[in-house]
Amino acid sequence: MPDVLPPDSVGIVTPQTLHFSEPLLLACGKTLSDYQLVYETYGQLNAHKSNAVLICHALSGHHHAAGYHSMSDKRPGWWDSYIGPGKPIDTHKFYVVSLNNIGGCHGSTGPSSINPETGKPWGPDFPKLRVRDWVHSQARLADKLGIDVWAAVIGGSLGGMQAMRWTLEYPHRVRHCAVIASALKLSAQNIAFNETARQAIISDPNFHDGRYQEHDTVPRHGLGVARMIGHITYLSDYDMGEKFGRDLRSGSFDIGSDEDVEFQIESYLRYQGGNFAKQFDANSYLLITKALDYFDLGREYGDDPIAAFKLAQAKFLVISFSTDWRFAPERSHEIVSALIGANKAVTYAEIESKSGHDAFLLPDERYQQVFGRYLAGIATE
Amino acid sequence: MRIDLNEIQHWIKQGSRILDLGCGDGTLLKFLHDNKQTEGYGLEIDAEQINICIDKGLNVIEQNLDRGLGNFADNSFDTVLMTQALQTLHFPHKVLDEMLRVGKECIVTFPNFGHWKARYHLATRGRMPVSDLLPYEWYNTPNIHFCTFKDFEVLCREKNIKVIHRQVVNEQSVQLLKDAMPNLFGETAIYHLSKQ
């Protein structure tokens, strides 16, 4: 909790909600007849409405990207290091829109919402989503906010996939696309991690085939284990070693311990898992990881990402992190190569970092410089 | 602008697609974009230089040349440029092959180690030359593969590379001597190359 708001904070922000009653046809063929989106905005939309930036969130993200909801908040929004006055996504220059995607669990319509047809929570019956469904729903939000063209669509990880998809679905509505720690598609190893996480959820006795809300329970343990698996893949070996090493929490190496939790890393992972399970919906986790698995930018373009990117009109900024093994620099090289092949404007930086995939969320001098200087250049366009 | 960069512009066609290997702060890319309406990319590994390129709005890609140009298709650029970087590469001959694969034409510039000052330095002092153009000690220099004019000519012959133009330039021009004995009086070599 800050006693005083930092001068480079967007300050106290209040989420807003918009209802959409025009049916949204989804990639799976089903229709979402009615839905709502929760979003936040930071900064001011200029008279030409040319300074709007869309933030696309990753697997566990949501609309609250920057600032505080109240002075009693323990922490600011998830990307506060990069959004604010004087920060890379400078709210003196840009009007920033950050939403919670449909299928999520932070206020936008998702599996834990009530299905109007049954009067019960959607649960496992919520339609399957693809990344493009999020893009289309975001475009509707842009329409309502009066934004024809985004100065930039920005996203890290799964958010980067949405940003890339934007440039293909709405080529004339994106001037710049920033793709951070992302990929054209997941590797088999990546899908394997997601599947293991899903199995942890599904095998929780409280899962009840996804109808746990009707049983007034939550598969908290399974969701916690799912998050533990994810969390391991977000950190680097080095980072974990630095932070926790082989330190014991109790007992000794000679005789061990009777405690349930022995090593510090165990304690940390359990804390992270437990905390996440209190805030996230298990069905949302299943739904969103599937959207990740299925994403493949070039699939419908003859499996050719070059052919796909030829449709794009945007200029691209691509950033990766040296120790990110979940979305390794090689995955970003593939994005850059495809963009070069399609003769698109692209700038690429590979940031030396010890923080693995999580680096895209953390303060880093070079990352801030590359990101900030690129965006400073487009603010004057 | 550095004198070799000034010469290069004469060999670049209006509106051509170029790739600049080791583009530094993007001076050449920006100049060619502004004056010859070129488009293309610069490759660089130095973080601060990359930042300056970003400030200029250039397409700069962080990429180590020693890793090759595998992400660039055959004949996908009109001209591939590499100025004053040849001598910093681990495998200059392989990068040259890659340049000729990716570009229809190539332009390479490098410091001529056969210049009389370098020869004089080594001959009289018995130590590796240090000069304004090459201001490093042998142990900390990024320049690990020096060659002379003649060396480069031999490499081009061995690799069956066609030399379209060759030129030497000096910061303080000693025209007559330079033209008569380029390997002795030329400071910087500029080669315009293509496949045979």
Side-chain angles (χ1 to χ4, degrees):
Chain A
M1 176 183 70
D3 290 332
V4 184
L5 288 168
D8 62 352
S9 168
V10 297
I12 301 289
V13 293
T14 308
Q16 298 168 73
T17 303
L18 273 175
H19 289 267
F20 296 80
S21 48
E22 192 189 332
L24 182 69
L25 177 63
L26 302 168
C28 66
K30 292 184 181 167
T31 301
L32 208 51
S33 59
D34 195 80
Y35 59 97
Q36 68 176 30
L37 291 175
V38 173
Y39 67 99
E40 292 180 359
T41 68
Y42 323 112
Q44 297 296 320
L45 188 61
N46 65 17
H48 295 100
K49 299 184 175 179
S50 63
N51 68 332
V53 166
L54 176 67
I55 307 295
C56 304
H57 71 74
L59 172 54
S60 60
H62 44 67
H63 53 282
H64 184 39
Y68 300 84
H69 284 159
S70 79
M71 291 303 280
S72 60
D73 277 4
K74 281 186 186 150
R75 286 191 303 177
W78 58 268
W79 222 11
D80 196 77
S81 301
Y82 289 86
I83 304 171
K87 290 177 182 173
I89 304 170
D90 191 344
T91 48
H92 282 319
K93 296 170 182 160
F94 294 109
Y95 174 66
V96 182
V97 178
S98 172
L99 81 159
N100 181 215
N101 281 328
I102 51 170
C105 51
H106 293 89
S108 293
T109 301
S112 52
S113 310
I114 299 297
N115 178 353
E117 283 178 26
T118 63
K120 289 180 184 172
W122 281 97
D125 301 328
F126 195 83
K128 301 286 175 270
L129 295 174
R130 294 288 173 84
V131 167
R132 72 188 60 225
D133 297 322
W134 291 326
V135 169
H136 293 314
S137 64
Q138 290 159 2
R140 297 233 179 129
L141 176 63
D143 294 341
K144 286 222 180 179
L145 296 175
I147 297 159
D148 285 339
V149 180
W150 296 103
V153 177
I154 299 172
S157 193
L158 176 59
M161 294 172 169
Q162 293 159 54
M164 288 188 282
R165 186 60 81 195
W166 254 98
T167 68
L168 307 187
E169 296 293 316
Y170 300 98
H172 297 286
R173 299 189 72 173
V174 188
R175 287 217 315 273
H176 292 267
C177 174
V179 186
I180 302 165
S182 193
L184 294 170
K185 57 186 170 192
L186 291 194
S187 65
Q189 187 193 46
N190 248 320
I191 296 171
F193 282 123
N194 283 345
E195 174 57 10
T196 312
R198 285 191 292 264
Q199 285 302 324
I201 293 170
I202 291 165
S203 57
D204 187 315
N206 287 337
F207 183 62
H208 296 293
D209 292 325
R211 302 196 190 279
Y212 45 85
Q213 273 173 288
E214 293 172 46
H215 288 79
D216 207 19
T217 183
V218 172
R220 191 160 285 163
H221 183 74
L223 188 55
V225 174
R227 181 60 173 177
M228 286 166 81
I229 294 162
H231 211 85
I232 294 167
T233 70
Y234 303 147
L235 301 182
S236 69
D237 187 22
Y238 175 89
D239 210 26
M240 223 181 242
E242 277 287 294
K243 281 187 183 140
F244 309 104
R246 293 176 45 79
D247 296 352
L248 289 177
R249 198 159 180 267
S250 60
S252 71
F253 279 101
D254 295 338
I255 55 167
S257 167
D258 294 331
E259 295 291 321
D260 181 33
V261 178
E262 295 163 61
F263 285 88
Q264 286 291 2
I265 182 64
E266 296 175 83
S267 162
Y268 172 76
L269 284 178
R270 288 190 194 198
Y271 173 79
Q272 290 291 337
N275 225 10
F276 185 74
K278 284 183 217 156
Q279 303 160 7
F280 213 85
D281 176 59
N283 282 317
S284 283
Y285 202 85
L286 299 177
L287 189 72
I288 298 172
T289 54
K290 276 288 180 192
L292 249 171
D293 291 356
Y294 272 99
F295 180 79
D296 181 349
L297 190 90
R299 186 185 53 80
E300 71 200 271
Y301 303 92
D303 281 326
D304 181 4
I306 295 176
F309 275 135
K310 279 187 178 154
L311 291 177
Q313 297 291 317
K315 295 179 176 177
F316 289 78
L317 171 67
V318 180
I319 296 175
S320 72
F321 301 91
S322 58
T323 54
D324 183 353
W325 56 282
R326 187 82 197 247
F327 288 83
E330 288 73 20
R331 301 288 82 74
S332 286
H333 294 172
E334 289 163 4
I335 297 171
V336 172
S337 296
L339 287 166
I340 291 168
N343 202 13
K344 298 297 161 186
V346 53
T347 285
Y348 171 62
E350 198 165 311
I351 309 295
E352 194 71 33
S353 164
K354 293 169 178 168
S355 305
H357 188 54
D358 263 357
F360 91 86
L361 299 166
L362 303 172
D364 176 281
E365 194 184 340
R366 179 161 185 236
Y367 175 24
Q368 283 166 334
Q369 280 185 8
V370 167
F371 201 8
R373 288 163 87 152
Y374 185 90
L375 290 179
I378 74 170
T380 52
E381 283 175 4
Chain B
M1 193 158 65
R2 227 170 54 207
I3 187 162
D4 55 329
L5 305 187
N6 197 35
E7 293 296 319
I8 284 169
Q9 57 168 310
H10 306 304
W11 301 339
I12 302 282
K13 288 183 198 80
Q14 198 74 244
S16 57
R17 185 167 147 88
I18 59 172
L19 177 65
D20 188 357
L21 310 185
C23 65
D25 66 3
T27 301
L28 180 62
L29 269 179
K30 181 89 170 79
F31 178 84
L32 293 175
H33 176 264
D34 292 348
N35 294 282
K36 296 265 179 165
Q37 289 73 50
T38 57
E39 52 171 304
Y41 309 89
L43 307 190
E44 182 52 56
I45 50 170
D46 183 272
E48 191 41 42
Q49 304 274 45
I50 289 170
N51 281 341
I52 298 170
C53 288
I54 291 172
D55 291 342
K56 290 175 179 167
L58 297 167
N59 294 324
V60 59
I61 291 162
E62 183 165 341
Q63 184 166 333
N64 189 332
L65 302 181
D66 278 320
R67 270 200 334 229
L69 302 174
N71 49 335
F72 295 91
D74 296 0
N75 293 315
S76 52
F77 290 87
D78 294 311
T79 307
V80 180
L81 300 148
M82 184 165 65
T83 63
Q84 304 292 45
L86 186 75
Q87 74 281 1
T88 68
L89 302 174
H90 281 95
F91 310 104
H93 59 306
K94 289 186 180 167
V95 173
L96 204 56
D97 288 340
E98 280 286 85
M99 291 176 73
L100 288 158
R101 176 183 67 78
V102 168
K104 291 167 193 149
E105 294 180 356
C106 300
I107 296 172
V108 178
T109 84
F110 57 88
N112 172 28
F113 208 65
H115 188 260
W116 70 269
K117 282 186 189 165
R119 299 190 198 196
Y120 181 77
H121 200 107
L122 190 58
T124 60
R125 300 188 198 176
R127 295 192 57 197
M128 289 300 281
V130 177
S131 69
D132 298 349
L133 274 175
L134 305 167
Y136 300 97
E137 295 291 346
W138 65 272
Y139 46 81
N140 67 4
T141 180
N143 303 314
I144 55 173
H145 277 123
F146 277 123
C147 68
T148 71
F149 241 49
K150 279 190 180 170
D151 289 328
F152 194 77
E153 290 279 339
V154 171
L155 181 66
C156 289
R157 252 198 320 276
E158 282 175 5
K159 286 191 167 294
N160 202 22
I161 296 168
K162 181 177 166 189
V163 178
I164 305 169
H165 296 102
R166 55 170 71 73
Q167 200 174 338
V168 290
V169 290
N170 292 358
E171 288 298 329
Q172 287 120 14
S173 196
V174 196
Q175 283 301 333
L176 283 174
L177 286 172
K178 181 194 75 179
D179 293 344
M181 287 189 276
N183 199 35
L184 196 54
F185 292 104
E187 281 173 356
T188 299
I190 310 178
Y191 276 84
H192 188 191
L193 310 168
S194 74
K195 292 172 275 261
Q196 279 293 353

